[in-house]
């Protein structure tokens, strides 16, 4: 199925949500009815069912999103005078506008003439009639001034210097509430015009009744009214870029191939609107934004699925919020055949597998995941840059594979809380760690131009995660290793540790993809690889010196980390200096600890082949795995020792 048909199918499956304003956090979004759009209103005017003015007020800041009917031309209005059918700016609605502002009154005449045709048709609605009866009195500005919504200057004209919620007064947008005397009508339909589905349906039928010429829609093959003016506001309410557009009045685009644009491409009006409205809705509902690039995914049967770009902890947390406690969700149902070694981590891989089992048990053989990605090369043109469809079972397997192959111990901070988890970090975190700088205690991309790297990283990692086929770009692996080898570049230890664990994840996956090697967080005490062993030595030297620090030395960096960059390039030569430097610190330790670390250094030395130990060539990224494995093992030993002491004291 084409992506357009997928969007139309998405629209039809969610028909019960049409016209219902929902929220993603504090941001409202809606699945629009056909022939409608959304605007931000500044003024709400309340009238009764006979068209008598009741009151006016500024729109609440949290309730500005307004659904309005539009014509084909008014929906694409930029500088023209095409009026919207019902709600619009003051210059269109106010018959007395030219009395209070320099204007020829043409827009008002166009509006009232268009509204009159709707009122006289067989598809009029009582609220439309009430608005018409009120506006034909030409007292809107007068009423708004009387209720202190519009302010006049000394010349009794609308003051251009005054704003209403950031919009100049002459350009303020007005919406309507109709108070009904009929209690039954009051209970069945909302007073707000922008929420009344019966009004929206009346307008849809009114537009359809006026359609005359029909043609073949090239997307569906159906006979319907053809449109060459298509929607904007795709990625957000301020987005002016269009996905389908053609403004070549001289036929240069078609010259030599077609005689007119009609021969080149024809899209049905309702087909275009359903596809665009579904796309706007799903992007606002669950789209992910990487600078100017927008990526949205959904499951064909509208089932909740893990987000491909999220970190492991976020996937587990989201699943727990949505499903745990539901009797239908049995976490013990076996779905996965793989196994991730948890290594005693605070958030183990077991929870991740359980979440994937929970997602997987609800899908069927017809279930697919759809991914669309869009970016704009210019402010007016939007391009589809990714279009992928994947069986949902395979999608979950690929998500599992990515987090399994990259599985390491990572740390993140959420609302000031330190969270440690086993798995892989998110795509945006990867971009921040690889290309960000320290800012306010964290590593992030702060430069406006640099934020384009978010989109670049997402595009390059998408095949690795979504399809599960491509290896991690090797330049990313090397960049992570290079940054992790330079802890002096970071003021905050935790920022360097994030780089270190990302490098370990990348090196681990690279080794598996290229050489079929398996590496884990658990320390391998029998491994004889030169890189791995040198990393272990460095971790032991770092630990020895760190153990002698007092609280006042907490921010001090060890010699092992100070020489780390040089050590990665000339390990044999640099180790001699580090080994000499740790002797005074070894002597400061008590006899038991000193003996333990001396024996540990000796054990690691014994694993070296003499020729590899004296090899002074540059270390591979694998040395970081040896460093982190050894450091983490020593940390676990310390924690277990402290727990044992506490239990004996009790």
């Amino acid at each position: 199925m084409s992506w357009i048909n997928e969007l139309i199918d998405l629209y039809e499956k969610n028909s019960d949500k049409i016209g219902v304003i929902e929220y993603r956090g504090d941001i409202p979004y809606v699945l629009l009815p056909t022939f409608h759009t959304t605007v931000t209103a500044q003024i709400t005017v309340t009238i009764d069912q006979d068209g008598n003015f009741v009151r006016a007020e500024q729109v609440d800041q949290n309730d500005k999103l307004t659904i309005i009917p539009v014509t084909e031309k008014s929906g694409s209005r930029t500088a023209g005078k095409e009026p919207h059918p019902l709600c619009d700016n003051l210059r269109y609605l106010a018959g007395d506008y030219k009395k209070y502002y320099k204007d020829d009154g043409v827009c008002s005449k166009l509006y009232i003439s268009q509204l009159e045709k709707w009122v006289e048709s067989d598809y009029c609605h009582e609220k439309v009639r009430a608005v018409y009866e009120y506006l034909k009195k030409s007292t809107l500005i007068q009423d708004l001034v009387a209720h202190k919504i519009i302010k006049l200057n000394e010349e009794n004209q609308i003051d251009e210097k005054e704003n209403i919620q950031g919009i100049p007064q002459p350009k303020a947008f007005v919406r309507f509430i109709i108070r009904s005397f009929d209690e039954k009508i009051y209970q069945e339909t909302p007073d707000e015009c922008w929420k009344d589905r019966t009004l929206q349906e009346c307008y849809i039928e009114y537009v359809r009744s006026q359609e005359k010429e029909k043609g073949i829609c090239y997307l569906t093959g159906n006979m319907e009214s053809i449109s060459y003016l298509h929607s904007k506001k795709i990625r957000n309410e301020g987005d002016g870029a269009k996905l389908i557009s053609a403004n070549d009045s001289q036929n240069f685009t078609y010259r030599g191939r077609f005689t007119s644009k009609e021969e080149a491409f024809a899209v049905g009006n309702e087909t275009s609107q359903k596809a665009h409205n579904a796309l706007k809705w799903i992007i606002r509902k669950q789209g992910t934004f990487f600078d100017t690039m927008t990526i949205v995914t959904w499951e064909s049967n509208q089932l909740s699925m893990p987000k491909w770009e999220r970190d492991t902890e976020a996937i587990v947390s989201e699943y727990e919020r949505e499903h745990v406690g539901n009797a239908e969700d049995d976490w013990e149902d076996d779905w996965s055949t793989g196994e991730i070694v948890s290594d005693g981590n605070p958030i183990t891989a077991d929870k991740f597998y359980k979440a994937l089992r929970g997602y997987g048990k609800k899908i069927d053989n017809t279930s697919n995941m759809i991914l669309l990605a869009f970016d704009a090369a210019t402010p007016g043109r939007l391009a589809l840059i990714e279009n992928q469809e994947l069986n949902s079972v395979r999608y979950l397997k690929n998500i599992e594979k990515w987090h399994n192959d990259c599985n390491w111990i990572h740390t993140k901070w959420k609302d000031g809380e330190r969270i440690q988890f086993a798995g892989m970090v998110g795509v945006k975190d990867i971009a921040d760690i690889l290309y960000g700088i320290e800012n306010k205690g964290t590593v992030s991309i702060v430069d406006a131009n640099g934020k384009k790297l978010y989109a670049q990283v997402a595009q390059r990692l998408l095949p690795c995660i979504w399809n599960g086929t491509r290896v991690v770009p090797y330049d990313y692996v090397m960049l992570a290793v290079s940054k992790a080898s330079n802890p002096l570049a970071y003021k905050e230890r935790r920022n360097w540790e994030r780089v270190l664990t990302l490098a370990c994840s990348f090196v681990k996956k690279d080794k598996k993809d290229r050489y079929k090697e398996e590496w884990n967080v658990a320390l391998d005490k029998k491994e004889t690889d030169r890189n791995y062993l040198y990393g272990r030595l460095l971790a032991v030297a770092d630990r020895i010196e760190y153990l002698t620090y007092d609280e006042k030395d907490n921010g001090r960096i060890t010699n092992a980390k100070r020489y780390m960059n040089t050590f990665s390039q000339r390990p044999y030569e640099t180790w001699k200096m580090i080994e000499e430097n740790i002797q005074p610190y070894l002597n400061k330790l008590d006899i038991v600890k000193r003996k333990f670390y001396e024996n540990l250094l000796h054990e690691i030395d014994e694993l070296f082949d003499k020729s590899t130990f004296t090899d002074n060539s540059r270390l591979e990224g694998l040395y970081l795995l040896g460093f982190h494995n050894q450091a983490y093992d020593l940390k676990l030993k310390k924690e277990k020792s402290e727990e044992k002491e506490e239990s004996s004291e009790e």
Side-chain angles (χ1 to χ4, degrees), residues 341-343 345 408-409 519-525 532 625 629-630 632-633 636:
V341 180
S342 67
D343 302 314
N345 301 319
W408 210 257
I409 302 170
W519 296 90
N520 288 307
V521 178
L523 178 64
D524 188 346
K525 296 181 179 180
Y532 192 81
L625 273 67
N629 285 171
Q630 183 66 73
Y632 192 69
D633 185 72
L636 288 179

Side-chain angles (χ1 to χ4, degrees), residues 600-627:
L600 182 55
L601 288 171
H602 180 69
E603 288 173 13
I604 299 172
D605 284 337
E606 287 293 312
L607 291 170
F608 272 101
D609 181 272
K610 186 176 180 180
S611 61
T612 60
F613 182 70
T614 57
D615 181 0
N616 201 37
S617 61
R618 187 187 189 96
L619 292 175
E620 295 179 9
L622 189 60
Y623 93 94
L624 293 172
L625 273 67
F627 176 88

